[in-house]
Amino acid sequence: MKKIVIFASGSGTNAENIIKYFAETKIGTVVALFTNRSDAKVIERAQNYQVPAVVFSKDDLNESKILQKINTFRPDLIVLAGFLLKFPQDIIEAYPDKIINIHPALLPKYGGKGMYGMNIHRTIVENKEKETGITIHFVNENYDEGNILFQKNIILSGNETAEEVAHKIHELEQEHFPQVIERLLEN
């Protein structure tokens, strides 16, 4: 069975969805959750499924301490599910083409530093975009510039609020993220 490690910074709905999805498959299992916030709701969500949580500081991440902890789990795939810090080069080099991220927009539009969550959805509404969607991509040394694995779009009417766009994007994430992970693990 393949091993998945998840990195998340917030409420953890995508992380929980992935944990639940792989609890019911034979191909993979989530062996650990890593978070940079000791108060993140994702910790409780992981613990509800007996997935150990590793809490770390930004300094830990940038000083190679986290790479050592990751290595103890020997993951086949590292999944960023709402993880907001820049991923360090040492981990990227240790796990080439084994780290993926989900982005709540159709990259390359609306990517880069500061483009996450409601910041993206508000900008999409303000710019009166006709469509948006999700992008699942490999992680490299630059924000949101890794090779794209999957995109799914939705058409916007132009009357949506940022909150309504966020809800539609969340539905896409919940449906597609676990399936893309499963396909990666099968290859």
Side-chain angles (χ1 to χ4, degrees), residues 33-112:
L33 166 83
F34 283 69
T35 183
N36 60 305
R37 290 191 38 224
S38 61
D39 63 342
K41 175 85 172 150
V42 70
I43 296 169
E44 179 185 327
R45 291 180 192 272
Q47 290 171 339
N48 288 340
Y49 294 92
Q50 291 73 52
V51 172
V54 176
V55 180
F56 61 90
S57 70
K58 188 174 184 179
D59 288 341
D60 291 340
L61 184 66
N62 294 323
E63 294 170 1
S64 298
K65 293 176 185 173
I66 297 309
L67 175 57
Q68 294 167 13
K69 284 205 189 280
I70 292 169
N71 288 340
T72 65
F73 291 100
R74 296 191 327 263
D76 297 287
L77 190 65
I78 298 171
V79 176
L80 310 188
F83 184 68
L84 300 181
L85 297 179
K86 191 166 193 306
F87 223 61
Q89 192 64 33
D90 63 334
I91 301 174
I92 293 168
E93 288 173 4
Y95 291 91
D97 294 331
K98 299 288 183 195
I99 307 168
I100 64 169
N101 182 43
I102 190 163
H103 188 76
L106 296 171
L107 293 174
K109 290 177 91 173
Y110 304 105

Side-chain angles (χ1 to χ4, degrees), residues 79-174:
V79 176
L80 310 188
F83 184 68
L84 300 181
L85 297 179
K86 191 166 193 306
F87 223 61
Q89 192 64 33
D90 63 334
I91 301 174
I92 293 168
E93 288 173 4
Y95 291 91
D97 294 331
K98 299 288 183 195
I99 307 168
I100 64 169
N101 182 43
I102 190 163
H103 188 76
L106 296 171
L107 293 174
K109 290 177 91 173
Y110 304 105
K113 188 172 175 61
M115 285 311 240
Y116 61 89
M118 290 305 293
N119 294 346
I120 293 172
H121 307 313
R122 279 190 285 275
T123 304
I124 285 169
V125 168
E126 288 167 8
N127 290 345
K128 299 184 182 340
E129 291 288 348
K130 302 279 190 243
E131 69 174 353
T132 188
I134 62 170
T135 302
I136 300 169
H137 63 92
F138 283 117
V139 173
N140 68 12
E141 65 279 356
N142 300 312
Y143 281 113
D144 303 323
E145 290 183 14
N147 288 335
I148 293 172
L149 295 162
F150 176 86
Q151 288 188 308
K152 180 71 177 171
N153 73 315
I154 53 169
I155 303 302
L156 298 175
S157 69
N159 297 322
E160 291 92 352
T161 64
E163 291 75 18
E164 289 168 331
V165 172
H167 179 75
K168 290 177 181 184
I169 292 300
H170 187 66
E171 287 178 344
L172 286 179
E173 292 171 338
Q174 295 283 295

Side-chain angles (χ1 to χ4, degrees), residues 3-14:
K3 295 178 191 173
I4 304 164
V5 166
I6 296 176
F7 276 71
S9 295
S11 71
T13 55
N14 276 324

